[in-house]
Amino acid sequence: MTPRDAAQAQQTPGGSLPEGRFAGREDFRQLVRDALACAAREGWPELVLSDPDFQDWPLGELAVEQSLQAWARTGRSCTLLAADFGPLQRQHARFVQWRGTWGHIVACRKAASAQPGDVPSALWSPGWALQRLDAQRCVGMAGREPGRRLLLRQSLDEWLLRRSSPGFPATTLGL
């Protein structure tokens, strides 16, 4: 990387994150970890996390919780989209607790009528995104390409605005 490339990477959100194809569950999990750490470091204003059930995501890890905690500030927003939040709630207790604390900046949408494979598996930000194109094999693409990010955002918006409803409340009220 030339000095000019390094300077541009520091100025562009997600500039320090890898670009291109990824393959394998651990590569995917590491990209999620790195992206959330970068979001905290660079102060990304918006995150969209989408997956049928978030089973493969490292959301319950201490390092991920710390990244999310460092990222969370007034004026930021995070949206989660899932077909089923049950696995996330059962497997990722740290994330569930963090979500309860920061419920005012975290919106959760449930695509209840979707088939699990229909919901995109992706992490989107204004400057960088990753998408699993084959969730079974954990194969996908990551990067800053504006065209790819725009198409992903349009797909996510279709789900968020037209094909989902609020789900996974931050608190559960009992009677």
Side-chain angles (χ1 to χ4, degrees):
M1 182 180 284
T2 69
R4 181 172 183 237
D5 292 338
Q8 176 145 2
Q10 289 177 351
Q11 295 170 356
T12 305
S16 61
L17 293 168
E19 295 196 45
R21 186 177 186 278
F22 65 87
R25 203 158 309 310
E26 191 49 43
D27 285 351
F28 168 74
R29 293 169 62 83
Q30 191 59 49
L31 279 170
V32 170
R33 289 180 196 106
D34 293 346
L36 294 176
C38 188
R41 228 179 11 261
E42 296 179 1
W44 295 356
E46 181 181 12
L47 292 170
V48 178
L49 308 173
S50 175
D51 196 76
D53 57 22
F54 291 100
Q55 284 186 356
D56 293 335
W57 293 56
L59 297 176
E61 295 178 2
L62 179 59
V64 169
E65 181 205 6
Q66 290 170 336
S67 292
L68 287 167
Q69 188 67 24
W71 169 82
R73 300 276 184 274
T74 300
R76 300 208 174 140
S77 68
C78 180
T79 304
L80 273 72
L81 170 68
D84 180 10
F85 282 108
L88 182 142
Q89 292 171 304
R90 288 187 297 277
Q91 294 177 339
H92 304 301
R94 286 183 200 276
F95 181 83
V96 172
Q97 185 175 11
W98 177 85
R99 189 264 189 275
T101 302
W102 292 97
H104 58 288
I105 65 169
V106 180
C108 296
R109 307 284 299 177
K110 184 174 180 177
S113 63
Q115 296 297 315
D118 293 344
V119 176
S121 180
L123 185 154
W124 181 92
S125 77
W128 185 86
L130 75 83
Q131 181 177 16
R132 284 196 296 181
L133 302 171
D134 180 343
Q136 290 286 16
R137 293 177 188 85
C138 271
V139 174
M141 295 292 293
R144 296 185 305 266
E145 290 178 55
R148 185 180 301 276
R149 283 194 338 268
L150 177 62
L151 289 174
L152 177 57
R153 183 57 196 240
Q154 289 172 340
S155 173
L156 291 169
D157 282 349
E158 172 68 24
W159 282 98
L160 294 170
L161 301 173
R162 294 186 184 89
R163 300 173 72 183
S164 65
S165 59
F168 182 22
T171 59
T172 305
L173 299 176
L175 297 175

